[in-house]
Amino acid sequence: MTSIVQSPNLEILAREPEGFSIWKGPPFNNGQPAIKLERVSCTVARFSDNGSRLMVTKNNSVISVYDGYSSNEIRSFEIPSLLGAALSPCGTYLQTFQKSTNPQDKNVVLWEIHSGASVYQHFQKNMTKATWPSIQFSSDESVACRLATNEIQFFDSKDFSKGFIYKLRLPGVAAIELSKAPGSYIAAFLPESKGIPASIQIFSSNKDAQTQPIARRSFFRCSTVTMHWNKLSSGLLVVAQSDVDKTNQSYYGESKLNYLTTDGSHEGLVSLRKEGPVHDVQWSYSGLEFAVVYGFMPAKATIFDKKGNPSLELGQGPYNTVRFNPKGRVVCLAGFGNLPGDMAFWDYKEKKLLGTTKAECSVTSEWSPDGRYFMTATTAPRLQIDNGIKIFHHDGSLYFKKMFNKLYQADWKPETPESFSDIDELVTSVNTIKIGDNEKKAQGSKSTETSKIPASIAQKPAAYRPPHAKNADSVKAELFGGIAPATEISKNALRNKKRREKQKEKKAAESGIRLF
């Protein structure tokens, strides 16, 4: 008889000024989450990529590591002058960055969590987004490497005591990105130098196959890059950003999206059908398609296949964020940050709009591992007011909302999406809207309810009126002899009106004229 494997429970980590706690669910019993782990004082809390470990920084010198399933503390490290820390994807290692006073101090330390022993140390001058974590791991931790001066160093991930076992010499290399699963390739960014254009080069992680790059893409006017590997390690998306836009169309510079494949089938720009910046890009969980939000507002959203060809246009709207559901089929388009928070949920397999909604002032957003819920959070220090968590169903309907005096962080506990059942039966049961000839439906900037109301009846949003103009109607009425509604006359206006009537009566009495 086949045994039924139960899906893991969803969990949420919420961190407030007093510390973090872990919630059970959703779904929630009686509409409120149960607490799995009561509040623990901390300044930082992060899960490993597979959810097996939880790293908690309790002060400037103490890091505790918790078991991700039992929530029990399994190891504590005391590290003076701590500036940063990160877990390896499977939670086997902890690497820490300490303040250093001289190059002789080996301020980056790699710790094995099970034994608590230091297995590798080296010096790093500073910590930036491009250089931290210092040691990069593939998702299964089978490959480990680090960026050094003019070279990439590779380690035996089972025995770091050997030091680096081989290196790839690349003069001028400024950033690297190791493919995740499997860790077969390493992408390197070499900025412009002495008239030589900047370039992205992809090499094999195997020492014997590193003589020549597998793929290469060169471009001018590039100061920084952001690299995105797909799950299959077969495709790399590179957003090349320059500080100056020579067309003077954008104050924030210009950006281009490049696409490289490890089989050599594509090395070039992704053809985007609207001028403007690349706001966001994300691979689907299968790695067979990617979505891009791009262009001047209202931005355009397009899904491309693995060959770089557009497969579905999602229209235009106030969007700058895209999130693929980990169970496939559903994608969320959203406009966060300085945008009003519009969200549109699409079944991109069936080309249907599932629903639209809003989550104003959201700072973070992510799908649950089972693909059934989408969580947004308004957090400090980005926003100091209206902090809270909202959880939506995969069709955009609101499931849960909770406000906080101050919230610093809200994260799902990572789980493998394959451990959950599919959501196809939920998607097909939703009363969806088919993409028709009317392109306006694809924009998703208005709710489905509003779109069903005739244009003659639908109410337009009221224009902003400053405080001093709120009584403009009553003032106009008095000036031009009209009668303003009584509800729009303020107390001061009513008082002035009575005063003027008394003055008229007084003048009429003095002149001997009787008023009727």
Side-chain angles (χ1 to χ4, degrees), residues 136 145 147 150-152 154 168-179 185-191 198-204 213 215-219 225 227 229 236 238 260:
Q136 294 189 22
C145 64
L147 174 65
N150 296 325
E151 64 186 27
I152 305 172
F154 291 84
L168 174 62
R169 184 74 178 170
L170 282 175
V173 60
I176 62 173
E177 188 70 27
L178 180 65
S179 63
Y185 303 98
I186 183 79
F189 168 61
L190 284 74
S199 66
I200 289 288
Q201 301 181 33
I202 299 177
F203 293 86
S204 171
R216 178 189 178 110
R217 170 71 178 165
S218 300
F219 34 76
V225 297
M227 295 176 276
W229 280 104
L236 176 71
V238 181
L260 298 86

Side-chain angles (χ1 to χ4, degrees), residues 30 55 70 93 114 121 129 186 198 200 205 212 220 349 422:
N30 301 322
M55 178 195 71
S70 65
Y93 300 102
H114 179 72
Q121 301 178 15
K129 188 176 182 179
I186 183 79
I200 289 288
S205 298
Q212 293 292 330
F220 284 101
K349 296 293 185 183
D422 204 352

Side-chain angles (χ1 to χ4, degrees), residues 35 72 101 116 212 237 247 257 281 324 373-374 417 420 430 449:
I35 304 300
N72 295 325
T101 55
Q212 293 292 330
L237 293 169
T247 64
L257 180 61
V281 57
F324 269 103
Y373 304 96
F374 189 79
F420 297 93
V430 176
E449 292 81 1

Side-chain angles (χ1 to χ4, degrees), residues 250-262:
S250 174
Y251 175 80
Y252 300 99
E254 62 178 337
S255 55
K256 300 292 184 181
L257 180 61
N258 300 268
Y259 179 38
L260 298 86
T261 58
T262 54

Side-chain angles (χ1 to χ4, degrees), residues 301-419:
T302 306
I303 295 179
F304 296 83
D305 61 23
K306 62 180 180 180
K307 295 181 180 180
N309 300 319
S311 60
L312 178 63
E313 296 286 351
L314 299 180
Q316 301 184 88
Y319 304 127
N320 59 6
T321 303
V322 60
R323 294 287 184 269
F324 269 103
N325 188 302
K327 297 298 291 183
R329 298 195 59 154
V330 182
V331 64
C332 175
L333 289 177
F336 298 140
N338 59 347
L339 295 179
D342 293 83
M343 296 194 299
F345 295 82
W346 292 89
D347 179 349
Y348 62 92
K349 296 293 185 183
E350 296 294 328
K351 300 182 180 181
K352 295 177 181 178
L353 178 64
L354 302 178
T356 60
T357 185
K358 270 194 174 186
E360 298 88 347
C361 304
S362 296
V363 177
T364 62
S365 60
E366 195 53 73
W367 285 99
S368 61
D370 67 349
R372 285 172 163 78
Y373 304 96
F374 189 79
M375 178 171 67
T376 65
T378 303
T379 58
R382 175 72 178 272
L383 291 171
Q384 299 291 341
I385 60 173
D386 296 332
N387 286 187
I389 293 173
K390 291 181 180 179
I391 300 177
F392 301 86
H393 289 288
H394 72 282
D395 61 355
S397 58
L398 183 64
Y399 171 73
F400 173 79
K401 179 180 178 180
K402 182 177 177 63
M403 304 303 293
F404 296 81
N405 291 330
K406 186 164 288 188
L407 178 68
Y408 288 129
Q409 178 185 352
D411 291 330
W412 297 103
K413 179 195 169 187
E415 296 285 358
T416 306
E418 289 82 2
S419 60

